[in-house]
Amino acid sequence: MKRLFALAFLVIYLFNWGGYLLLQNYLVARADRHMNDLISQNLYDPNSLIEVKVKQNLPGIFEWPDYKNVTGQLQLKNACYNYVKLKFTKDTLYVLCVPNYEKTKLVKSNIIYAKEVNDIPSDKKANDSSAKKSGQDSKYDHPILSMNFSLFNNEIVALAKYRNKLIKTPFISLPGQPPEFLS
């Protein structure tokens, strides 16, 4: 009987330690797989599609006259979507999305559970950032990537010439004959 209680408590302990996270990840992956199957078989309602417009400055891109079938996932304001079609213009990216209600419900329940476990108050004011955001695309993070490429060939040659000037005699003469080549 003691072994049964010890085993039960061990199972409960291990589930609390990491089993809930594994179960949550499994359920989210299953919801994603189910939604992807529905999208690949075109079993979604075209009237329930939500159009998301993202302002972008893409001057070098060719405009797409109509939507292309492209699938993927995005998350906006704690709601999960699967996009099914995309369209580019020079100033806007249009995305047609299907709401993924099951995944949204699972993600929200996980956030609430994590806040309760970690004793974090789930106050709405805590979610607002104190930094003031401004601009048209303040909701999106656009990191700027800056790269600098330099040509090293000239510098290496110049360094080799400088190094050769420091050595008066670059060749060391050794008495004797070099070894014979064995084939």
Side-chain angles (χ1 to χ4, degrees):
M1 195 66 163
K2 288 182 182 180
R3 285 187 182 176
L4 184 65
F5 281 125
L7 186 61
F9 284 129
L10 180 65
V11 167
I12 291 171
Y13 176 73
L14 291 177
F15 181 77
N16 283 335
W17 193 48
Y20 182 78
L21 182 63
L22 291 173
L23 179 67
Q24 180 73 20
N25 287 343
Y26 169 73
L27 292 174
V28 168
R30 191 178 75 176
D32 281 341
R33 191 171 43 250
H34 176 69
M35 184 57 92
N36 288 336
D37 290 343
L38 291 177
I39 290 172
S40 66
Q41 297 171 6
N42 288 331
L43 295 177
Y44 60 90
D45 183 18
N47 296 329
S48 69
L49 291 177
I50 298 171
E51 184 178 48
V52 178
K53 296 179 185 178
V54 181
K55 282 193 115 10
Q56 297 289 323
N57 185 13
L58 304 169
I61 197 164
F62 295 109
E63 293 190 6
W64 296 0
D66 54 349
Y67 285 95
K68 305 278 185 190
N69 290 331
V70 178
T71 59
Q73 300 174 0
L74 62 102
Q75 185 173 357
L76 296 172
K77 295 186 179 181
N78 297 329
C80 299
Y81 300 96
N82 287 65
Y83 56 89
V84 293
K85 295 183 180 187
L86 232 77
K87 179 181 172 183
F88 279 107
T89 61
K90 290 188 188 282
D91 62 347
T92 309
L93 167 68
Y94 297 95
V95 182
L96 288 178
C97 304
V98 176
N100 193 341
Y101 297 115
E102 187 177 352
K103 183 177 177 182
T104 302
K105 180 180 156 191
L106 288 169
V107 169
K108 282 184 182 178
S109 69
N110 190 30
I111 291 171
I112 292 170
Y113 178 76
K115 286 181 181 179
E116 289 174 0
V117 166
N118 294 326
D119 293 332
I120 299 172
S122 60
D123 188 15
K124 290 185 179 181
K125 293 180 182 178
N127 293 337
D128 296 336
S129 64
S130 61
K132 184 178 180 182
K133 298 178 182 178
S134 63
Q136 294 177 349
D137 55 352
S138 62
K139 296 178 187 174
Y140 307 103
D141 182 20
H142 300 286
I144 297 173
L145 180 63
S146 170
M147 291 187 186
N148 224 352
F149 295 101
S150 40
L151 187 63
F152 292 111
N153 292 340
N154 297 339
E155 295 174 12
I156 291 174
V157 171
L159 182 64
K161 287 181 182 177
Y162 176 72
R163 196 177 317 147
N164 287 343
K165 287 182 183 179
L166 293 177
I167 301 173
K168 301 282 186 207
T169 56
F171 299 107
I172 300 173
S173 61
L174 293 175
Q177 182 178 353
E180 294 180 10
F181 181 71
L182 299 173
S183 57

